[in-house]
Amino acid sequence: MTDLDFHCTGVRPEPFGASPTLLFGQRIEELDHQPVHAVALRCQIRIGPAQRTYDPDEVDMLGDLFGEPSRWSSTLKPLQFAHASITVPAFTGTTHVDLLVPCTYETEVASASYFRAFARGEIPLLMLFSGTVSPAATASAPSRSRGTRRRPA
């Protein structure tokens, strides 16, 4: 079975996009350094609010979203940010790709109240990968993995 490792190398805006789009740089490594014919990759990106600390102003801004801070142990759950897909071309060992994540109206509505709370710091993101790997010489095998990345606020 093909074993892939994912690492987010950075996030930047797409400068020439027709609509707001973020580019998540991904380094993908086949751990046995075997040839990979292609990868049909899906990524679910979630905001991990429990993975950071908040200053008093941020706590006030997040009250509508998570309730009173005394309840945050049960209400500070991951928030859906986006879904994205990409077909990764053939590679051996390691490759680098940009995962395009459109910031649609639905994305903005779902996460805007969280993003508005921050003037600085990082936003913890959880990237959940799934898809189909086509090794160069064998039949396809499903693959699942996860990665994390912090995005500047």
Side-chain angles (χ1 to χ4, degrees):
M1 181 175 187
T2 303
D3 194 11
L4 300 179
D5 183 59
F6 296 87
H7 178 74
C8 185
T9 59
V11 181
R12 65 187 190 284
E14 165 59 72
F16 305 109
S19 64
T21 302
L22 294 173
L23 299 173
F24 285 74
Q26 298 294 318
R27 187 196 64 185
I28 304 171
E29 180 180 5
E30 201 290 318
L31 296 177
D32 294 326
H33 294 279
Q34 298 298 312
V36 174
H37 179 69
V39 181
L41 186 63
R42 291 177 303 278
C43 182
Q44 182 183 109
I45 303 172
R46 295 180 182 175
I47 300 166
Q51 297 174 349
R52 68 164 284 167
T53 58
Y54 300 95
D55 66 34
D57 291 335
E58 294 169 344
V59 170
D60 290 341
M61 295 283 291
L62 293 171
D64 288 340
L65 191 59
F66 298 117
E68 292 296 317
S70 61
R71 297 186 54 234
W72 282 15
S73 63
S74 62
T75 61
L76 220 59
K77 303 295 183 195
L79 303 170
Q80 184 62 39
F81 177 63
H83 287 272
S85 298
I86 188 173
T87 300
V88 179
F91 69 95
T92 299
T94 302
T95 190
H96 296 268
V97 296
D98 284 330
L99 181 66
L100 277 69
V101 178
C103 295
T104 63
Y105 176 75
E106 291 81 16
T107 302
E108 183 179 322
V109 169
S111 53
S113 58
Y114 185 77
F115 292 149
R116 269 196 304 268
F118 307 108
R120 63 190 173 286
E122 295 179 330
I123 297 170
L125 299 176
L126 175 62
M127 302 180 81
L128 304 171
F129 295 95
S130 64
T132 302
V133 178
S134 297
T138 61
S140 65
S143 178
R144 291 194 176 274
S145 185
R146 66 169 48 194
T148 58
R149 174 68 186 166
R150 291 190 177 272
R151 180 186 173 278

